[in-house]
């Protein structure tokens, strides 16, 4: 089980979640951040600090963002399990469902 990040993060990237994660498993793409499903230890510390409420336990993802479970998992298909996000910095890609979104803004 894991937490995931959904669409409200896109183009916002507040990064408050990164500071809370005890295992450094929140990785930064170009337009949003992604939680590594195997490295997350379900501590839940990230969820309440996101100002746009983009973070959900995988069983609680709203229907309109259900694709974001796969987006968080598939983002790591070619990355594997680096065991820490800080050393990677910004990873120059996003999941295809994020790449195709028009620019997002916080309403
Ligand atoms: Fe994104 Fe929220 Fe983290 S906007 S970077 S999920 S604090
Ligand atoms: Fe980190 Fe959030 Fe998981 S703080 S361990 S990504 S629940």
């Amino acid at each position: 089980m894991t937490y995931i990040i959904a669409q409200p993060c896109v183009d916002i990237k507040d990064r408050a979640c990164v500071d809370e994660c005890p295992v450094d498993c929140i990785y930064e793409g170009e337009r949003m951040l992604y939680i590594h499903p195997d490295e997350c230890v379900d501590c839940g510390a990230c969820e309440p600090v996101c100002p746009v409420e983009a973070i959900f336990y995988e069983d609680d993802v709203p229907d309109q963002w259900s694709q974001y479970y796969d987006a968080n998992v598939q983002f790591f298909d070619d990355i594997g399990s680096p065991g820490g996000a800080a050393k990677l910095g910004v990873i120059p890609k996003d999941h295809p469902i994020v790449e195709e979104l028009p620019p997002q803004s916080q309403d």
Side-chain angles (χ1 to χ4, degrees):
M1 305 297 272
T2 183
Y3 280 70
I4 68 108
I5 298 178
Q7 188 166 311
C9 182
V10 177
D11 297 333
I12 302 296
K13 298 212 300 188
D14 181 85
R15 297 184 187 85
C17 55
V18 174
D19 292 336
E20 297 299 322
C21 184
V23 294
D24 191 24
C25 71
I26 306 178
Y27 292 74
E28 184 169 353
E30 287 189 345
R31 296 183 64 190
M32 68 170 271
L33 281 76
Y34 303 81
I35 294 176
H36 197 298
D38 297 326
E39 295 178 1
C40 172
V41 295
D42 289 356
C43 77
C46 54
E47 187 268 334
V49 302
C50 176
V52 294
E53 298 182 22
I55 303 176
F56 300 92
Y57 188 57
E58 66 170 85
D59 287 344
D60 299 329
V61 181
D63 286 347
Q64 74 265 35
W65 297 321
S66 59
Q67 285 182 297
Y68 280 81
Y69 175 80
D70 286 342
N72 281 249
V73 172
Q74 292 167 1
F75 184 77
F76 298 99
D77 279 353
D78 62 350
I79 296 173
S81 186
K87 64 190 175 198
L88 269 68
V90 179
I91 299 162
K93 66 167 190 165
D94 278 296
H95 188 273
I97 67 168
V98 176
E99 287 176 345
E100 69 192 20
L101 286 174
Q104 308 288 300
S105 62
Q106 188 175 1
D107 297 326

